[in-house]
């Protein structure tokens, strides 16, 4: 699971071309979106990019974007849980 | 006819009045009662004059005031005469000279309050051309002062006249009022006449450049200076003759002109204009650029050695060092004389702007009209390039037209300004120089005469203008304009951000809500539409509201870049900022920030991410996350060209270099083909690892690698090196010590020359890289 999380963090930094943030800086349970103390403060465009990146990297798709999927994108933890549950075996 | 006779009678009796009264008393034995009839008679004559004069008066406020004054005088004359008559008393007859002085005082001071002043009106009656001449304001100011001097004189004269009437004997009264007072008036006239002659000599004689004659100025008049050496008018005429002789010895063709020395420049330019050669003025003398604009048959004249021999560059010094020739000088037709200017434009691509000399001449006329009276007796200094329109007008053409001496070489460093402390100076400067002056100067410069400073080329931040006022004592006058339009408006930011247009410029709102200008120095009848958003007020003054291209869409969301910039400035931690749109896998904004002293203090030891987050959090209160900047750079100075112009393209290029923990860019200056960077390599940089762990210095390979990376990003070179030539590593680059990296790229040879130096100039290393193949520049 930890390996998956660090892969996700690497993916976030690379796919979103983040500057001044390394994978190590991302806190597992901090919110990825919106305003918060230790979060990344990503925006809605980043969400779209991230969705594409998750599909490319892990083969996991989000067919419908709804409140439910937004929950999976809340933090690295939630994203890791969703990906590991849905990753094609 | 009658009224003229009445006026003469009145004037003659007024002048002779003290003498007549004295004679009447002393020699003719007349009683005061009889003498009072003279005063009453005089009052009748004056009353008759005034009523006659009124019927044809034009009814202006001055005329009305004059009439009121005259009636008051008549009334007082009657009163004094009547008292003298009934009381048979001489005292009230002696008040008449006091009344005359007071009535003149009333009239003169009224015209000072309701301009134009009386003396100025007289001057204009004498010389009708004053009102339309560029020195009109200067003359008016002088006349106002003379009017004021007369007012003071009348006060003093009335007081003395009153004194002689009250306590003096008849003899003293008549001696003062009948003689001394007139002598004083005569002396005042004579002194004023001499002062006026002196002022006229001091007033620079403005002559349009195209109308200058061989003998327009005295032979020994100083044209320019440099240190202790000077060039005089006669030397100037002889130098122009030599260059004209040279130009006219070959067939008529356009000439590309680049001279660093302003004197050589004006000699060459005037020669071309007088001999009908088209002058193409270029600040950029990069070989590739000259090659591009130099069509077959074109000439190229310069004062600096030019590398590429095939360009056939003519050194102006060679011509001037040649033998004397007969004087060649003539005025020329300003409407026929052609010039070309080059502007970098906002996109960065050089653009040629054709000009007629009349455009410059008409603008000069306007500039002299507005600013000319401030320049009397001054010398002209420059911190800007005279190959651009503002420098051309202010530092070369204006001194030539007004006869003010100019310095041949630019002032490059803020520290040089101290050397002007004893001079009466006009300094044509720019935000780039003034910003550095504001940052560098530690204490005010003790100017003997407050200098006059102009700034143009970009907006001067109010904060910088304020600091410069503290240093120089002068609130910089900013000129707003462009190569296409010439000067449009001016302001001093102590009066707020509003621009006052030059009288000849007519403002309107054109395409895309941008400012459209029509003026006597824009040839197109439809005027020129700038790229600046504007709000125009009823009185014609206006406020600039950013560039039209400053509104961008980020992922379909409209955002004004100045708005984001202003929000960032609101934090009080930012000295300067530019926000630019970027396109990567998505569109986003990026912010280049120069922190002010408070900002530097606040963020001193914080990691960059936390500084970013501070600003992001602040912006979140006002703007959506999507349009909040995603990338940030904290610099010592915003990227600019040597003119101090900050271009969106340069800032975007800066963001094109990925942020790296290994080095930090603090400053960047970019010109076509060259770039200068101030870099610092922190001790945590990977570049040091494995290389003398105890004594960290930047390995040669890392230095070369930096050049490859940065030349690719900023100069468009390829990313691979085929050969390394002439490298020299003479001094180590140490952690945290800023180094200046200068790189220039010759596209046709595929060579990048680089040098690392310390800020104070010590050479660290240098070399030339031959790149595998020339990529697209």
């Amino acid at each position: 699971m930890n390996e998956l999380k660090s892969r996700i963090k690497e993916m976030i930094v690379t796919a979103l071309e983040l500057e001044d943030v390394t994978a190590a800086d991302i806190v597992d349970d901090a919110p990825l979106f919106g305003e918060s103390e230790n979060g990344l403060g990503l925006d809605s465009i980043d969400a779209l990019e991230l969705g594409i990146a998750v599909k490319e990297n892990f083969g996991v798709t989000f067919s419908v974007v709804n409140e439910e999927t937004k929950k999976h994108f809340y933090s690295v933890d939630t994203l890791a849980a969703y990906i590991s549950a849905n990753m094609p075996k | 006819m009658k009224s003229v006779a009445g006026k003469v009678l009145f004037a003659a009796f007024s002048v002779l009045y003290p003498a007549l009264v004295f004679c009447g008393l002393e020699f003719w034995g007349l009683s005061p009662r009889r003498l009072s009839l003279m005063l009453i008679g005089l009052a009748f004559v004056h009353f008759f004059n005034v009523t006659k004069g009124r019927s044809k008066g034009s009814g202006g406020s001055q005329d009305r005031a004059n009439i009121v004054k005259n009636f008051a005088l008549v009334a007082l004359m009657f009163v004094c005469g009547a008292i003298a008559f009934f009381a048979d008393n001489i005292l009230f007859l002696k008040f008449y000279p006091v009344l005359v002085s007071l009535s003149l005082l009333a009239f003169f001071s009224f015209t000072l309050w309701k301009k134009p002043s009386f003396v100025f009106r007289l001057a204009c009656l004498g010389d009708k051309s004053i009102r339309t001449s560029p020195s009109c304001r200067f003359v008016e100011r002088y006349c106002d002062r003379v009017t004021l001097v007369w007012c003071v004189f009348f006060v003093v004269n009335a007081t003395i006249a009153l004194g002689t009437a009250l306590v003096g004997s008849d003899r003293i009264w008549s001696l003062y009022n009948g003689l001394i007072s007139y002598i004083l008036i005569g002396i005042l006239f004579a002194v004023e006449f001499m002062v006026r002659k002196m002022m006229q000599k001091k007033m620079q004689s403005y002559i349009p450049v195209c109308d200058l004659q061989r003998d327009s100025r005295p032979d020994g008049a100083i044209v320019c200076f440099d240190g202790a050496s000077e060039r005089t008018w006669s030397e100037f005429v002889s130098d122009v003759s030599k260059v004209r002789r040279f130009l006219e010895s070959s067939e008529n063709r356009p000439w590309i002109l680049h001279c660093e020395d302003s004197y050589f420049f004006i000699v060459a330019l005037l020669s071309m204009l007088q001999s009908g050669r088209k002058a193409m003025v270029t600040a950029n003398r990069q070989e590739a650029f000259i090659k591009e604009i130099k069509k077959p048959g074109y000439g190229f004249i310069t004062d600096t050695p030019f590398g590429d021999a095939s360009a056939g560059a003519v050194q102006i010094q060679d011509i001037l060092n040649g033998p004397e020739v007969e004087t060649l000088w003539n005025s020329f037709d300003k409407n026929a004389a052609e010039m070309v200017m080059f502007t970098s434009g906002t996109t960065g691509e050089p653009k040629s702007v054709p000009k007629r000399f009349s455009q410059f001449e008409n603008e000069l006329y306007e500039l002299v009209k507005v600013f000319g009276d401030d320049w009397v007796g001054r010398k002209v200094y420059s911190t800007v390039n005279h190959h651009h329109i503002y420098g051309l007008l202010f530092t070369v053409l204006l001194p030539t037209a007004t006869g003010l001496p100019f310095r041949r070489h630019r002032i490059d460093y803020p520290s040089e300004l101290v050397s002007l402390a004893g001079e009466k100076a006009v300094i044509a400067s720019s935000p780039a120089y003034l910003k550095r002056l504001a940052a560098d100067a530690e204490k005010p410069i003790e100017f003997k005469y407050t200098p006059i400073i102009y700034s143009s080329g970009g907006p001067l931040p109010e904060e910088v203008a304020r600091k410069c006022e503290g240093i120089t004592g002068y609130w910089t006058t900013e000129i707003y304009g462009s190569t296409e339009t010439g000067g449009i408006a001016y302001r001093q930011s102590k009066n707020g951000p509003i621009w006052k247009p030059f009288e000849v410029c007519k403002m309107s709102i054109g395409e895309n809500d941008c400012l459209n200008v029509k003026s006597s120095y824009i040839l197109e009848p439809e005027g020129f539409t700038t790229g600046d958003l504007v709000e125009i007020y009823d009185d014609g003054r206006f406020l600039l509201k950013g560039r039209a291209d400053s509104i961008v869409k980020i992922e379909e969301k409209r955002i004004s870049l100045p708005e984001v910039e202003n929000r960032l400035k609101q934090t009080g931690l930012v000295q300067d900022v530019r926000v630019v749109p970027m396109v990567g896998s998505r569109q986003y904004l990026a912010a280049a920030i120069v922190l002010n002293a408070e900002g530097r203090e606040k963020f001193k030891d914080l990691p960059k991410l936390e500084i970013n987050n501070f600003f992001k959090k602040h912006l979140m209160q006002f703007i959506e996350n999507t349009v909040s900047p995603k990338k940030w750079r904290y610099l010592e100075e915003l990227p600019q060209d040597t003119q101090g112009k900050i271009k969106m393209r340069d800032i975007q290029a800066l963001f094109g270099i990925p942020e790296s923990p290994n080095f930090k860019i603090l400053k960047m200056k970019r010109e076509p083909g060259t770039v200068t960077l101030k870099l610092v390599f922190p001790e945590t940089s990977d570049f040091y690892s494995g290389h003398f762990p105890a004594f960290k210095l930047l390995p040669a390979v890392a230095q070369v690698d930096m050049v490859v990376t940065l030349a690719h990003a900023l100069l468009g070179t390829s990313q691979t090196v085929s050969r390394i030539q002439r490298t020299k590593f003479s001094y180590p680059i140490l952690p945290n010590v800023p180094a200046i990296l200068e790189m220039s790229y010759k596209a046709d040879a595929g060579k990048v020359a680089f040098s690392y130096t310390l800020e104070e100039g010590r050479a660290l290393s240098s070399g030339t890289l031959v790149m595998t193949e020339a990529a697209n520049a």
Side-chain angles (χ1 to χ4, degrees), chain A residues 24-56:
Chain A
D25 292 329
I26 304 176
V27 181
D28 287 357
D29 59 353
L32 294 174
F33 295 90
E35 206 184 325
S36 74
E37 269 313 299
N38 53 359
L40 284 182
L42 302 180
D43 66 23
S44 55
I45 308 297
D46 294 321
L48 297 176
E49 293 285 326
L50 208 52
I52 297 166
V54 167
K55 187 186 162 199
E56 281 173 359

Side-chain angles (χ1 to χ4, degrees), chain B residues 452-468:
Chain B
I452 295 171
I453 305 170
Y454 295 96
S455 171
S456 191
L460 183 70
E462 200 260 359
E463 186 188 322
V464 177
R466 184 177 299 279
K467 276 192 188 149
C468 288

Side-chain angles (χ1 to χ4, degrees), chain B residues 122 150 183-196:
Chain B
L122 274 186
W150 277 109
I183 292 174
L184 290 180
I185 291 176
I187 291 174
L188 188 54
F189 261 119
V191 169
E192 191 270 326
F193 181 77
M194 286 189 303
V195 170
R196 194 191 320 166

Side-chain angles (χ1 to χ4, degrees), chain A residues 15 17 19-21 35 37 40-46 49, chain B residues 555 585-586 608-609 612 616-617 620 625-626 630-631 633 659:
Chain A
E17 297 172 352
E19 254 188 20
D20 311 316
V21 181
E35 206 184 325
E37 269 313 299
L40 284 182
L42 302 180
D43 66 23
S44 55
I45 308 297
D46 294 321
E49 293 285 326
Chain B
E555 303 288 348
S585 58
R586 59 168 287 184
K608 190 182 163 202
L609 182 59
N612 299 351
K616 265 191 187 168
K617 204 170 161 190
M620 289 295 200
N625 194 358
T626 315
K630 303 296 173 207
K631 291 190 181 178
R633 295 287 184 273
E659 190 75 321

Side-chain angles (χ1 to χ4, degrees), chain B residues 46-66:
Chain B
H46 194 39
F47 179 75
F48 170 78
N49 288 343
V50 173
T51 44
K52 268 282 170 191
R54 195 174 59 149
S55 57
K56 59 180 178 180
S58 58
S61 70
Q62 283 208 351
D63 287 322
R64 278 201 304 278
N66 205 9

Side-chain angles (χ1 to χ4, degrees), chain B residues 294-326:
Chain B
K294 196 173 177 300
K295 306 260 157 54
Y298 283 24
F300 175 31
I301 197 162
T302 180
D303 64 346
T304 337
F306 194 72
D308 185 358
S310 69
V314 174
Q315 295 292 131
I316 188 166
Q317 294 94 327
D318 295 344
I319 305 171
L320 299 183
N321 292 336
E324 291 296 321
V325 300
E326 80 284 14

Side-chain angles (χ1 to χ4, degrees), chain B residues 267-283:
Chain B
V267 166
L269 180 65
L270 203 57
S271 305
M272 290 174 194
L273 294 167
Q274 288 193 357
S275 55
R277 266 57 173 170
K278 184 180 187 173
M280 303 174 65
V281 175
T282 172

